[in-house]
Amino acid sequence: RFPSTSFFPSPSCSRSKSYFYFIALPALFKQDLQDTEAEEGGTVTLRCELSKPKAPVEWRKGDVTLYPGLKYEMRQQGCAAELVIYDLELEDS
C-alpha cells in the first residue's frame, strides 16, 4: 500500500524543467584518403569513409580551408565523403 501522498504532481504543483546534455562522439576515419595520381589539366576525386553518416567534413589543403566553386566540389552520402578537384595544376598536389 502506498502512502497517502502522491508521487505524481497535481495540477496545482509547479513543474520544474530538466535538461539533458549529450556529448557526441567524434567521427573517425574508417578509410583514410589514398594517394592518387592524375594528369595536369584533368580531374581527380579524393574519397574517405567516416564512422558516422553525414558527419560534418571540412576539406583543407594545409592551413587553407577549401570551399565549393569552379575548382572544388564536395560530395557526401552516408559515411562516404568526396572532394573533386577540377582543372588540376601542379600546386594542387
Side-chain angles (χ1 to χ4, degrees):
R1 183 161 187 235
F2 292 109
S4 61
T5 58
S6 173
F7 289 103
F8 302 101
S10 69
S12 63
C13 292
S14 65
R15 296 178 185 222
S16 64
K17 294 182 181 181
S18 297
Y19 295 96
F20 296 96
Y21 297 96
F22 296 95
I23 298 173
L25 296 174
L28 304 173
F29 288 106
K30 286 175 72 175
Q31 178 186 2
D32 290 336
L33 290 174
Q34 302 296 313
D35 289 340
T36 305
E37 291 186 22
E39 291 187 22
E40 192 171 358
T43 301
V44 69
T45 301
L46 303 174
R47 294 179 181 86
C48 65
E49 188 177 346
L50 305 168
S51 60
K52 295 170 82 174
K54 298 181 182 178
V57 174
E58 182 177 89
W59 291 93
R60 296 174 156 264
K61 181 179 182 223
D63 293 335
V64 178
T65 301
L66 306 178
Y67 296 97
L70 295 175
K71 180 77 173 171
Y72 304 109
E73 179 183 353
M74 288 80 172
R75 302 177 189 158
Q76 194 166 351
Q77 183 174 351
C79 292
E82 296 181 337
L83 170 66
V84 182
I85 306 173
Y86 297 99
D87 194 23
L88 289 168
E89 301 170 294
L90 188 56
E91 295 80 31
D92 293 319
S93 61

